[in-house]
Amino acid sequence: MSRVFDMTFSSVYPLYVAKVERKGRTADELDTVIRWLTGFDEADLARHAQGSTTFREFFDEARLTPQAAEITGVVCGVRVEQIDDPLMYRIRLLDKVVDELAKGKALAKVMRAGASGDS
């Protein structure tokens, strides 16, 4: 697992972009979802996407949205909500919302808009 933790976000971000664009989504939509999940603003996300930040450092700085607890399902054959390691859990949350976006789920649904009584 530590190999994943020490990968740079900037090495994976272009793969996320390529994945969503292949499915007809945009990098702007991807950035919106990542900013929603992590609490980063545009400048923070750009710094991480272009820098040498590891996933460990990326999520150390992130402030996960309260709706992150509503993200469930399977990523890489593992149920997200059953992952014990806190950092791996966060990484898989990110993978899950990227997958949902790429699969055509509406942006509002990916971002859990209206869930738990929120608007």
Side-chain angles (χ1 to χ4, degrees), residues 99-118:
D99 283 353
E100 289 176 352
L101 184 65
K103 288 180 180 175
K105 199 171 197 181
L107 204 55
K109 289 189 184 246
V110 173
M111 295 173 23
R112 285 25 185 202
S116 299
D118 294 340

Side-chain angles (χ1 to χ4, degrees), residues 13 16-18 20-21 24-36 42 45 101 107 111:
Y13 177 76
Y16 289 150
V17 172
V20 300
E21 287 181 343
R25 303 307 287 261
T26 68
D28 285 340
E29 289 174 308
L30 173 65
D31 289 353
T32 297
V33 168
I34 294 172
R35 289 193 316 266
W36 164 79
E42 285 184 47
L45 181 55
L101 184 65
L107 204 55
M111 295 173 23

Side-chain angles (χ1 to χ4, degrees), residues 3-78:
R3 198 179 109 222
V4 173
F5 298 166
D6 294 330
M7 290 175 65
T8 60
F9 179 75
S10 63
S11 70
V12 178
Y13 177 76
L15 303 175
Y16 289 150
V17 172
K19 180 176 191 167
V20 300
E21 287 181 343
R22 263 194 322 271
K23 301 293 185 163
R25 303 307 287 261
T26 68
D28 285 340
E29 289 174 308
L30 173 65
D31 289 353
T32 297
V33 168
I34 294 172
R35 289 193 316 266
W36 164 79
L37 179 65
T38 62
F40 291 134
D41 62 20
E42 285 184 47
D44 288 333
L45 181 55
R47 177 174 50 87
H48 292 300
Q50 297 167 6
S52 59
T53 307
T54 65
F55 269 109
R56 184 183 315 273
E57 295 163 336
F58 180 83
F59 282 108
D60 280 350
E61 289 184 35
R63 298 169 316 280
L64 287 190
T65 180
Q67 290 100 343
E70 299 166 19
I71 300 169
T72 60
V74 177
V75 173
C76 299
V78 178

